[in-house]
Amino acid sequence: MVFRNLREMFKLDAAQYMMSICGDCGLRELSSPGKSGSIFYLSQDDRFVIKTLKKPELKVLLKMLPEYYSHVGKHENTLITKFFGLHRISLRGGKKVRFVVMGNMFCTELHIHRRYDLKGSTLGRTTNKDKIDGNTTLKDLDLNYEFQMDKKLRESLLKQISEDCTFLLSQHVIDYSLLLGLHFRAPENLKALAETAGDEALKLGENLILPKGLLLVVHEPSSVNTAPGPHIRGNTLRAYSMGDKEVDLLLPGTARLRVQLGVNMPAQARRKVQEDKVETTEIELFEVYDVVLYMGIIDILQDYNLRKKLEHGCKSTRYDSMTISVIEPRLYAQRFVHFLENKVFPEAP
């Protein structure tokens, strides 16, 4: 009944939900982005992600469910994973498989060019360069961009992240991440423009700034699809640059999209200058790209149990305790919020 109410809260049609999960079209298996050993599937319509659960994760979910239901009901713009169903099937031989159905945060008509899983820790948070392809989910140390956005959009985003982390702290949960997807505007121009800039830009220190591919306009419900999707819920966001009015994102020649928290959020991706690698006689090229961001807080089913406490104790004797992923929930939440506020979404200069 709780999950039925959650689906109604997110305005998911029961018949469409069943057809997406149990229809004639099979599910697509995804490679696991984490170390949990879970298997991930994607519904054929891209609306839902199905993840197999281990028994400890199931217990955490069931334990937090009343408070999760309350939090989601109170915060319609929450970035926390949206759970729509929890199921168990028995296979021949008696083996039981448990799985949860979640909204796909990257269900969008725009192509997601790059994906990041961000925790705010550094130890082991890099990806083997030989294994990176277009679908690889990168990690903290792979991120060489910072994202600047409208003052009001940034304020709304960081406020919700803080409120979501307060909830996760109350549940003694750690190991969660911000899953961040980037759509680069006019990506086919990136290489050509970089080549055009050439050595002269490097010598002169000129900024390589791509043509504007994004435009905020006043929200018009009649001009955009306002039907809630599996990852969309909540208000249309207001932008400071538009006089604190609700806004849509206009992509010239492509689409008009409703701007919501974690969905269709316009920003500028700035490639960070690595000063330690720049010689005094050189000036590194500074790149600025228009991007559309999609994001949510995932992996919220790991509590700070005895095993995790022992892992923290073992690793903290060999490494700086603030660099390892496993730290107690309060410090984890503080580090996570600080990292996103100062390193990923810094205030515009």
Side-chain angles (χ1 to χ4, degrees):
M1 183 59 72
V2 172
F3 287 102
R4 181 185 297 177
N5 290 342
L6 283 170
R7 292 193 293 269
E8 289 178 356
M9 191 185 295
F10 286 97
K11 297 181 173 60
L12 285 181
D13 180 77
Q16 289 183 353
Y17 173 77
M18 290 298 292
M19 285 301 295
S20 292
I21 307 301
C22 308
D24 293 335
C25 296
L27 304 175
R28 287 177 284 154
E29 185 174 342
L30 302 175
S31 58
S32 173
K35 301 176 182 177
S36 66
S38 296
I39 302 173
F40 291 81
Y41 299 91
L42 193 63
S43 61
Q44 285 292 340
D45 56 9
D46 285 346
R47 302 184 71 194
F48 303 103
V49 173
I50 297 92
K51 175 190 176 184
T52 60
L53 291 182
K54 295 184 176 179
K55 204 166 186 178
E57 293 177 309
L58 174 68
K59 289 182 177 179
V60 172
L61 177 53
L62 291 176
K63 182 181 178 182
M64 75 158 56
L65 195 55
E67 287 79 12
Y68 172 86
Y69 181 82
S70 175
H71 180 80
V72 168
K74 183 179 179 182
H75 299 280
E76 63 177 1
N77 292 313
T78 181
L79 292 169
I80 288 178
T81 302
K82 295 166 179 62
F83 295 123
F84 301 129
L86 182 62
H87 308 276
R88 183 181 66 195
I89 56 177
S90 296
L91 306 178
R92 289 179 183 176
K95 183 180 178 181
K96 296 175 181 177
V97 178
R98 307 166 186 88
F99 60 93
V100 65
V101 180
M102 306 171 287
N104 176 17
M105 293 169 190
F106 297 156
C107 181
T108 170
E109 60 194 84
L110 302 183
H111 180 67
I112 302 297
H113 296 105
R114 206 162 292 178
R115 299 166 171 81
Y116 292 93
D117 180 287
L118 306 173
K119 292 181 182 290
S121 58
T122 55
L123 184 66
R125 298 296 295 164
T126 187
T127 308
N128 187 330
K129 299 297 184 288
D130 297 331
K131 297 181 179 180
I132 294 178
D133 59 31
N135 295 317
T136 301
T137 301
L138 305 171
K139 299 178 183 178
D140 299 62
L141 294 179
D142 304 315
L143 182 67
N144 58 355
Y145 295 101
E146 59 183 28
F147 304 96
Q148 294 185 346
M149 59 179 68
D150 179 275
K151 177 181 177 181
K152 194 77 174 180
L153 299 186
R154 177 180 181 271
E155 181 182 292
S156 300
L157 175 64
L158 294 177
K159 180 183 178 186
Q160 189 59 56
I161 288 174
S162 179
E163 289 174 342
D164 287 340
C165 286
T166 298
F167 163 73
L168 295 173
L169 172 59
S170 74
Q171 302 302 304
H172 305 289
V173 166
I174 61 169
D175 270 0
Y176 47 87
S177 313
L178 184 81
L179 182 62
L180 177 66
L182 279 59
H183 168 78
F184 283 91
R185 213 47 213 143
E188 65 276 6
N189 294 335
L190 300 187
K191 185 176 180 181
L193 282 169
E195 290 173 349
T196 302
D199 295 334
E200 288 302 314
L202 285 169
K203 290 176 183 176
L204 298 174
E206 295 175 349
N207 288 352
L208 175 60
I209 301 179
L210 301 184
K212 292 288 182 181
L214 306 176
L215 183 65
L216 285 176
V217 293
V218 176
H219 175 58
E220 292 183 8
S222 60
S223 301
V224 293
N225 181 9
T226 56
H231 64 311
I232 298 175
R233 176 172 173 257
N235 301 323
T236 302
L237 293 189
R238 298 174 180 272
Y240 178 82
S241 59
M242 295 294 290
D244 198 32
K245 294 179 181 178
E246 292 185 345
V247 292
D248 296 333
L249 174 62
L250 190 63
L251 306 178
T254 306
R256 182 177 180 134
L257 305 169
R258 183 183 178 198
V259 179
Q260 293 178 271
L261 210 61
V263 182
N264 303 325
M265 295 191 73
Q268 280 194 330
R270 296 171 178 257
R271 201 187 77 178
K272 300 175 184 178
V273 176
Q274 298 178 322
E275 296 179 1
D276 58 323
K277 294 183 180 179
V278 180
E279 297 180 7
T280 54
T281 56
E282 296 180 0
I283 300 177
E284 187 176 43
L285 190 64
F286 187 70
E287 299 172 343
V288 180
Y289 304 124
D290 284 324
V291 292
V292 185
L293 303 179
Y294 297 84
M295 70 191 83
I297 298 174
I298 63 167
D299 294 337
I300 66 168
L301 299 180
Q302 177 59 63
D303 59 343
Y304 193 55
N305 54 26
L306 179 59
R307 182 174 63 84
K308 286 295 182 179
K309 291 176 182 177
L310 290 173
E311 182 182 340
H312 170 75
C314 180
K315 287 185 176 179
S316 59
T317 61
R318 296 158 50 196
Y319 308 102
D320 179 351
S321 60
M322 288 306 290
T323 67
I324 61 179
S325 178
V326 183
I327 55 175
E328 64 93 11
R330 183 169 299 280
L331 285 176
Y332 193 99
Q334 290 174 352
R335 181 180 65 184
F336 185 75
V337 172
H338 182 269
F339 173 67
L340 296 178
E341 185 174 342
N342 294 281
K343 301 295 186 182
V344 184
F345 306 110
E347 191 171 3

